[in-house]
Structure formats: C-alpha cells, structure tokens
Amino acid sequence: MSSPPLAPEDLQRLSDFLYRQTGMLFGESKRYYIERRVADRMAATGCASFGAYFGVLRAEPAEREALINAFTVNETYFYREEHQLACLSRDLLPDLAGKRRPGDKIRIWSAPCSTGEEAYSIAIWLLENWRMVDAYNVEIVGSDIDTRALEAAHAGAYAERSLARLPQALRQAYFEPAKRHRWQIIDDLRESVTFTPANLIDGPSLAAQGQFDVIFCRNVLIYFDDASRLAAARNLYDRLTPGGYLCLGHTESMNRISDRFVARRFDDAVVYQRPERPA
C-alpha cells in the first residue's frame, strides 16, 4: 500500500532536513521524486506515518544515511569529460611534478566519485598517458556522501553502459569478464584507488581527508544553492595544496561562486587554481 501524499509542511520539513545534511535543494517542484523515495524508506522502516518516520530519521544515523543514499544522483561512466584527463597529464601534473622530487607524493581527489568510474578513469589515464607516473607516489582517492555508491566503487564491477566510451584495448587491459554481463576491474588497479565517505559542505569532516594537488569535483555544484556552493568552494579551497588545481563540470564555473581561485586556461580545459600565496 502506497503512503499518502506529504502535507506541505511535512514536505518542507524533509526538504529542510535534506538541505542541512547535503546542501542540495528539494521542494514542491520535486514532490513526486521526494514522495516516491520517502515511501520506500517508510516501508523499509515499518513506519505508518510521516511523523513516525521523521522521528526515526532524526534519531537513527543509519536511517539518515539510507535516506541520503536514496536522494543522490549517480550518473557517470568511464572517461567522462576526457578533455580534463588530457589536461591533467599534459599540463597539471607536469607543473606539479616540476616542483617536486622523484618519489614525492602527488594526491588526486575525485569528490564526489559516485560508483568509482571517475577515480578509476584517472588511474587508467595516467598509466596510459603520463610517462612519469612511476616516478612519483601518485595517490588517488574517491569520496562520496552516498555509502551505497562507495560500496559499488570498492567492488569495481561495472555494466556495459559504464564502459561504452572506453577503448576496447583498455577494457581488455584493465577489466575481466564477470557474472551477469558485468566487467570487473583487475585487482592491481582496484587496490590502487582508495574510497572514503565525504560531505562537501561539512568542512570539519573533510579536514580528515588531508590536502590534494588536484581535485575533480564535477557536476555536483549545480544541485546546490548559492550558500551551499560558497560553503563547498571554501572547503575545496582548504583541501587544495597551494598551487593545486580544481576541475569542475563543463557547465560549472568557480568565477560565479568565489574569487579565491584563479582561472587557468589550457589547451584542453579551463581549471581553477589555488594561488601559491594569498592575494
């Protein structure tokens, strides 16, 4: 039996709750999307009314996590926005490596990483296209607020759709056929990427991630309002090493959010750099 429609005040309470937790805006215009997911969670928890469910939601961190998982968007695939990967190997990493010694650590962060395609794409791209990859200690970390997505990333098994844009030679080199028409990342590659939970608007929790030389944060700020974008921008700035680079989605621009970054135009992409010294 389906749950009754949410009263306007209940819809607002839930939207406010999700906003505080994730920075994402929901409201009356997304009523059907919200009600469908809330109905699933009410059924899973055995709650007969929204009031009872909201009490469970506020009291139980596990249910809060489950609801957030239900509302996240995980649309991604291997080699998405390939031009940024080209910029990474041709421009960003040579610049960063030129200021380091061989063997030094270079950290790259994919946040949000969804089900892991982007983080693994970075690893594959560097193995194939950056000849200095073995000269440095390259650490790749993927993070997401969706714990189900992180579990899938850890597992590293993907359907055909995720690999549709990956050249056949790379599929053969880095994947093995698996059950149910899926492809399994080879163990060496899967073990080279670390996955951790992270919330882009929660600065204190992000501090545990340390700092990164390159951050890929693509196609998430479009779901935030101005206040959440500004909070995320501050946190991303803090997570970048001085001189480090931030890559956004092709429809996103840091120039409209924060003046702390410097826009850098390379042949393959526009990226945003944290200045080496404060302005």
Side-chain angles (χ1 to χ4, degrees):
M1 182 176 178
S2 60
S3 300
L6 293 178
E9 59 270 22
D10 290 336
L11 183 74
Q12 189 61 52
R13 287 169 70 197
L14 185 67
S15 297
D16 291 345
F17 179 86
L18 286 166
Y19 179 75
R20 290 193 301 271
Q21 296 295 319
T22 70
M24 293 187 292
L25 278 176
F26 297 94
E28 189 65 45
S29 64
K30 297 183 179 180
R31 171 179 282 277
Y32 176 72
Y33 180 85
I34 295 169
E35 287 185 336
R36 210 170 44 163
R37 282 153 181 78
V38 170
D40 288 344
R41 294 313 310 160
M42 287 175 62
T45 54
C47 294
S49 69
F50 175 79
Y53 175 70
F54 198 70
V56 171
L57 183 65
R58 297 183 65 179
E60 298 184 9
E63 182 53 32
R64 186 160 59 245
E65 179 180 298
L67 184 72
I68 290 171
N69 289 350
F71 276 85
T72 53
V73 178
N74 294 308
E75 173 62 32
T76 187
Y77 47 83
F78 282 89
Y79 274 27
R80 188 178 189 182
E81 300 194 33
E82 187 176 328
H83 62 283
Q84 286 189 343
L85 297 175
C87 184
L88 176 67
S89 59
R90 292 174 185 168
D91 300 296
L92 307 188
L93 289 177
D95 175 56
L96 293 163
K99 303 166 188 175
R100 313 281 173 91
R101 295 173 298 178
D104 283 354
K105 181 174 288 188
I106 294 176
R107 302 189 76 215
I108 302 173
W109 193 26
S110 169
C113 70
S114 186
T115 46
E117 288 93 331
E118 179 175 287
Y120 288 129
S121 290
I122 293 168
I124 294 171
W125 183 272
L126 296 187
L127 288 170
E128 294 291 323
N129 295 283
W130 192 41
R131 63 182 181 85
M132 299 298 292
V133 65
D134 291 327
Y136 294 87
N137 180 10
V138 180
E139 180 182 357
I140 300 172
V141 178
S143 300
D144 204 282
I145 196 173
D146 186 338
T147 54
R148 290 179 312 177
L150 290 176
E151 290 173 2
H154 277 292
Y158 296 96
E160 186 70 30
R161 182 183 179 194
S162 290
L163 280 70
R165 298 195 181 187
L166 200 63
Q168 187 65 29
L170 299 185
R171 183 186 300 206
Q172 294 174 350
Y174 297 104
F175 294 81
E176 297 172 338
K179 296 178 180 178
R180 295 188 294 275
H181 306 288
R182 299 177 75 81
W183 293 83
Q184 177 69 54
I185 289 269
I186 61 173
D187 288 346
D188 284 351
L189 187 65
R190 187 162 56 90
E191 292 167 4
S192 72
V193 179
T194 301
F195 292 101
T196 64
N199 183 341
L200 288 177
I201 63 168
D202 185 359
S205 72
L206 291 182
Q209 303 284 348
Q211 286 189 304
F212 295 87
D213 300 294
V214 182
I215 298 176
F216 286 82
C217 181
R218 304 193 296 196
N219 306 309
V220 64
L221 299 182
I222 55 176
Y223 296 103
F224 290 178
D225 68 351
D226 290 344
S228 295
R229 289 190 190 105
L230 185 58
R234 285 195 298 263
N235 294 334
L236 291 167
Y237 183 93
D238 290 341
R239 291 306 99 225
L240 272 176
T241 57
Y245 295 98
L246 171 66
C247 302
L248 299 179
H250 71 279
T251 63
E252 299 168 315
S253 172
M254 188 55 70
N255 292 336
R256 297 193 290 268
I257 302 172
S258 171
D259 61 2
R260 302 181 73 186
F261 297 84
V262 176
R264 298 288 307 277
R265 295 183 179 274
F266 296 100
D267 289 343
D268 297 294
V270 175
V271 302
Y272 301 90
Q273 186 174 31
R274 173 175 171 167
E276 295 198 27
R277 297 178 181 83

